[in-house]
């Protein structure tokens, strides 16, 4: 029974660790400390291994739980009900929690409020599009975090961050904001602007 508890604990730990790099930006947004968002981005390269380990540990825990028990030849009463933490129901809850944690990067954008704002552009020649190269983004949650911070600035028409490309393409009204302000907003998330290229 102790080995089953260790398996369950190990699967929870690996599932949470695998998603830590993606959960941190959302927690930072909720806490109002967006600068710590990239703290766990170093975990991202290990994410596939942690996911595999979680699946292996959970699979072994389910195997242990479902395999036929050996018959004990004794006259003692063995109808003792297992504790909740040792039950199939608890293992099922842990499995569902692990799946929810591992899938977090794919639904993390629901935690970021949509910043709908009315943009008034007097002259189209004032519009400017700039690409900001960014290091430290590892998932869709990171993209949403950058877009959310940039869209707080006045004069932003659109912001499209991409962790795969390591950049954000921002269209803005140059009479209301500039590249320096946008760079500050991105750097405030904890990710770092490594280059700026005007389009």
């Amino acid at each position: 029974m102790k080995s089953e508890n260790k398996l369950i604990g190990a699967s929870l730990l690996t599932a949470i660790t695998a998603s830590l790099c993606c959960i941190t930006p959302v927690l930072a947004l909720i806490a109002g400390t967006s600068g710590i968002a990239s703290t766990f981005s170093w975990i991202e390269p290990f994410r596939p291994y942690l996911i595999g380990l979680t699946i292996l540990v959970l699979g072994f825990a389910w195997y242990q739980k479902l395999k036929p028990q050996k018959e004990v030849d004794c006259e003692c009463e063995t109808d003792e009900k297992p504790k909740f933490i040792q039950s199939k129901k608890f293992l099922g809850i842990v499995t569902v929690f692990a799946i929810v944690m591992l899938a977090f990067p794919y639904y993390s954008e629901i935690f970021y409020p949509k910043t709908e704002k009315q943009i008034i552009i007097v002259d189209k020649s004032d519009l400017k599009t700039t690409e900001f190269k960014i290091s430290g983004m590892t998932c869709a949650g990171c993209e949403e975090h950058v877009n959310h911070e940039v869209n707080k600035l006045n004069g932003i028409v659109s912001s499209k961050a991409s962790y795969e490309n390591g950049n954000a393409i921002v269209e803005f009204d140059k009479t209301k904001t500039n590249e320096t302000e946008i760079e500050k907003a991105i750097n405030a998330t904890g990710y770092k602007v490594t280059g700026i290229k005007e389009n």
Side-chain angles (χ1 to χ4, degrees):
M1 291 298 176
K2 280 188 176 181
S3 66
E4 283 181 16
N5 291 346
K6 287 180 181 176
L7 288 173
I8 290 170
S11 63
L12 278 174
L13 182 65
T14 55
I16 291 169
T17 305
S19 301
L20 200 56
C21 60
C22 302
I23 293 169
T24 308
V26 173
L27 295 177
L29 178 71
I30 292 168
T33 56
S34 62
I36 65 165
S38 65
T39 306
F40 294 101
S41 62
W42 62 270
I43 293 173
E44 177 61 22
F46 304 105
R47 184 169 160 71
Y49 304 109
L50 292 167
I51 289 171
L53 185 60
T54 301
I55 292 168
L56 282 173
V57 170
L58 280 173
F60 189 70
W62 275 108
Y63 169 76
Q64 292 288 89
K65 187 59 74 181
L66 297 175
K67 76 178 181 181
Q69 300 296 321
K70 292 180 182 176
E71 297 269 335
V72 177
D73 216 13
C74 81
E75 300 297 321
C76 53
E77 287 188 29
T78 56
D79 276 347
E80 189 178 317
K81 198 173 182 183
K83 296 177 185 174
F84 177 70
I85 199 165
Q86 298 167 338
S87 68
K88 289 179 189 172
K89 187 183 256 185
F90 181 71
L91 184 56
I93 290 168
V94 168
T95 302
V96 169
F97 178 77
I99 291 168
V100 168
M101 293 302 291
L102 294 175
F104 188 81
Y106 304 106
Y107 62 86
S108 60
E109 69 273 355
I110 64 172
F111 293 98
Y112 291 94
K114 297 294 177 208
T115 50
E116 296 291 326
K117 57 184 178 181
Q118 188 175 5
I119 301 162
I120 300 169
I121 301 166
V122 178
D123 188 356
K124 285 200 178 219
S125 65
D126 290 336
L127 285 182
K128 190 173 184 181
T129 303
T130 303
E131 177 185 5
F132 295 84
K133 286 289 185 187
I134 305 170
S135 67
M137 293 192 299
T138 58
C139 67
C142 302
E143 294 174 355
E144 290 297 324
H145 193 100
V146 168
N147 289 333
H148 178 73
E149 289 300 315
V150 170
N151 279 314
K152 286 180 179 178
L153 298 171
N154 286 330
I156 301 296
V157 176
S158 69
S159 173
K160 292 184 181 95
S162 169
Y163 77 93
E164 291 171 339
N165 298 329
N167 70 355
I169 297 177
V170 182
E171 185 178 13
F172 59 97
D173 183 340
K174 63 184 178 186
T175 64
K176 296 179 181 167
T177 192
N178 56 47
E179 282 94 348
T180 305
E181 292 300 313
I182 297 168
E183 182 179 358
K184 282 181 190 172
I186 294 170
N187 287 339
T189 63
Y191 310 110
K192 293 292 173 220
V193 174
T194 58
I196 300 173
K197 179 182 167 191
E198 292 182 23
N199 290 347

